[in-house]
Amino acid sequence: MRPVHLVYVSAGSGHRIAARAIQEELDSRRIPNVIMDLLDFSSDLFKWSYSDVYAFVSEHAHLACKVMYELTDQDREESAALRLLEKINMENVKKFMRYLAENQPDVCVGTHFFPLSVLSYMKEQGFYKGKIYGVVTDYGLHRMWVSPHVDAYFVGGAPVKKDLVEAGISNDKVLISGIPVLRKYAESYSRYTEEKPLKTPFSLLFVASSVPNSIVLDILEGLIETGINLSLTIIAGRNEDLIDQLEGVDIPHRIDFKVLGFVDNLNDYMEEADLMITKPGGLTVSEALCVGVPMIMINPIPKQEINNARYLEANGAGIWARSATDAVHHVRGLYTSFERLKKIRGAARKLAHPHSAQVIADKVLLSLNKHSML
């Protein structure tokens, strides 16, 4: 049995985490697999331009994100710009194409549209003969995910399936599996209790690692001005500048305040929280849905995270705050309304897919078994 190849792109952390979640499940079944970043097969300059520039623009230049999203959210046959972009991308990952042609894995799973387009092209040209599975990591569809030779798509919700079908993908090739999360979030889901009592003081978690410093500080200042008693934990990730700024803020005694850097047990903090403020990245909100923590979503990247925020808000599983002031307003409102928090928790529970990685692994295993019988 040739190892299953799990291919992601390091444009944000979500695509890698989704691949890692699938790897966890494959490992538990002793299915051989390898996980790889497609950009590792490109030049340092191309990797920097695709990964690091994306990270900077997504945090600090939302207008540029919006323009790029709309420019590339086109049908390939109708967009010369998109075809040119994909040609440039292909030229920069020829090492990956040679590697795949030589190794010919039976199954490749892509958690980003870039590897799917490369794999689909290779299959069209006869350079790759295995199965191609795509895992869409947001709750809205960008048309760069649409590749004609993908054998099956795994998606987070009905809107993405609808858009894929309208884009020409066969209905039976699109499975609503949810976005795959690490096993510890499935375990959090199993510990969920509908009647979770509020903490005393009210416990607020703020995942601020990808939020501009100015917005984080504005929200913190607004929370201080409300006069409410809080247990407030801000997770700043690897943003050392933000950590320094937060540690310099004069916090009143009625707020139990913690600033943390990178943590690898975010699920524990989510479980403890009565409410969470976060950017609506596809993986982050999927993890939060499994835990059942109510969300206030801020500063979404146009348009993929806006799609996520709209999807959750439309289903009652979160609130999209349009500004720092709006976020503070919603915190204050939920602080005094246990019933609203309970309702949001219940809606999140209904949207959660804690076993998505298992569903994907089932499909992979079925393909491998069929291939071994040939």
Side-chain angles (χ1 to χ4, degrees):
M1 181 187 295
R2 297 185 183 120
V4 175
H5 280 48
L6 306 169
V7 192
Y8 66 93
V9 168
S10 52
S13 62
H15 306 289
R16 176 183 58 81
I17 295 171
R20 180 71 187 94
I22 300 167
Q23 184 181 46
E24 268 190 343
E25 186 61 31
L26 295 178
D27 285 347
S28 73
R29 304 183 190 198
R30 298 184 178 179
I31 299 173
N33 66 84
V34 293
I35 187 169
M36 57 183 59
D37 182 354
L38 176 60
L39 298 182
D40 285 342
F41 292 83
S42 66
S43 67
D44 289 343
L45 177 60
F46 184 77
K47 185 173 184 177
W48 171 81
S49 67
Y50 206 105
S51 181
D52 292 1
V53 171
Y54 168 83
F56 178 84
V57 171
S58 64
E59 183 172 341
H60 300 288
H62 280 191
L63 179 59
C65 281
K66 182 175 184 290
V67 170
M68 182 58 69
Y69 187 101
E70 292 177 348
L71 181 66
T72 56
D73 188 25
Q74 307 289 334
D75 187 293
R76 284 180 177 82
E77 300 303 317
E78 299 175 1
S79 173
L82 180 56
R83 292 196 300 273
L84 176 61
L85 177 62
E86 289 197 332
K87 183 177 181 180
I88 293 170
N89 287 345
M90 295 285 185
E91 287 294 319
N92 280 280
V93 292
K94 283 186 173 179
K95 287 183 181 178
F96 173 78
M97 296 167 74
R98 286 195 295 270
Y99 165 85
L100 207 74
E102 291 171 3
N103 289 275
Q104 289 293 324
D106 299 323
V107 176
C108 282
V109 181
T111 61
H112 188 278
F113 52 75
F114 189 1
L116 294 185
S117 66
V118 175
L119 290 162
S120 185
Y121 169 79
M122 291 184 67
K123 200 164 190 177
E124 182 179 9
Q125 299 298 313
F127 301 142
Y128 175 62
K129 303 183 186 302
K131 293 288 187 180
I132 305 170
Y133 296 139
V135 180
V136 181
T137 52
D138 285 300
Y139 291 95
L141 182 72
H142 187 289
R143 274 180 282 184
M144 287 189 77
W145 282 97
V146 181
S147 292
H149 298 286
V150 173
D151 294 283
Y153 283 93
F154 300 91
V155 303
V160 180
K161 176 167 184 171
K162 176 177 177 290
D163 288 347
L164 279 169
V165 172
E166 289 180 353
I169 304 300
S170 174
N171 183 72
D172 60 2
K173 287 187 175 183
V174 186
L175 179 63
I176 300 175
S177 62
I179 295 172
V181 297
L182 295 171
R183 183 168 293 183
K184 59 188 177 183
Y185 290 97
E187 293 168 354
S188 294
Y189 180 87
S190 68
R191 290 192 291 268
Y192 173 92
T193 55
E194 186 174 343
E195 298 298 331
K196 175 184 175 182
L198 290 177
K199 295 287 190 302
T200 304
F202 187 87
S203 178
L204 177 63
L205 174 65
F206 188 174
V207 181
S209 51
S210 298
V211 180
N213 294 7
S214 59
I215 294 178
V216 177
L217 293 168
D218 284 347
I219 290 175
L220 177 56
E221 185 64 31
L223 292 171
I224 292 171
E225 291 176 357
T226 63
I228 60 180
N229 296 328
L230 284 175
S231 172
L232 173 60
T233 299
I234 298 183
I235 296 178
R238 295 184 173 89
N239 188 341
E240 297 294 337
D241 183 52
L242 176 59
I243 293 173
D244 290 342
Q245 291 184 55
L246 290 171
E247 289 178 344
V249 176
D250 185 18
I251 304 294
H253 293 299
R254 58 183 168 73
I255 297 180
D256 179 12
F257 185 58
K258 294 179 184 175
V259 178
L260 302 174
F262 174 78
V263 299
D264 59 7
N265 61 331
L266 182 58
N267 60 306
D268 292 332
Y269 291 96
M270 286 185 181
E271 284 192 49
E272 286 297 313
D274 295 310
L275 177 65
M276 180 172 78
I277 301 174
T278 182
K279 278 174 63 67
L283 261 291
T284 300
V285 298
S286 298
E287 292 163 352
L289 291 174
C290 289
V291 176
V293 59
M295 283 174 277
I296 294 175
M297 300 167 288
I298 59 166
N299 197 45
I301 299 170
K303 288 184 177 179
Q304 60 267 42
E305 289 186 355
I306 288 177
N307 290 335
N308 296 339
R310 284 175 174 160
Y311 176 72
L312 265 66
E313 190 168 61
N315 285 278
I319 298 170
W320 176 12
R322 270 60 172 185
S323 66
T325 301
D326 196 25
V328 174
H329 168 75
H330 287 300
V331 171
R332 190 165 193 167
L334 292 170
Y335 177 84
T336 58
S337 180
F338 175 73
E339 287 304 314
R340 281 188 68 200
L341 281 171
K342 182 179 175 182
K343 187 175 180 180
I344 295 172
R345 281 169 55 80
R349 177 81 171 179
K350 291 177 182 178
L351 287 188
H353 287 274
H355 306 300
S356 175
Q358 295 180 23
V359 174
I360 297 168
D362 287 344
K363 183 73 171 180
V364 168
L365 186 58
L366 182 63
S367 291
L368 293 173
N369 288 339
K370 286 182 177 179
H371 188 272
S372 67
M373 294 172 64
L374 296 178

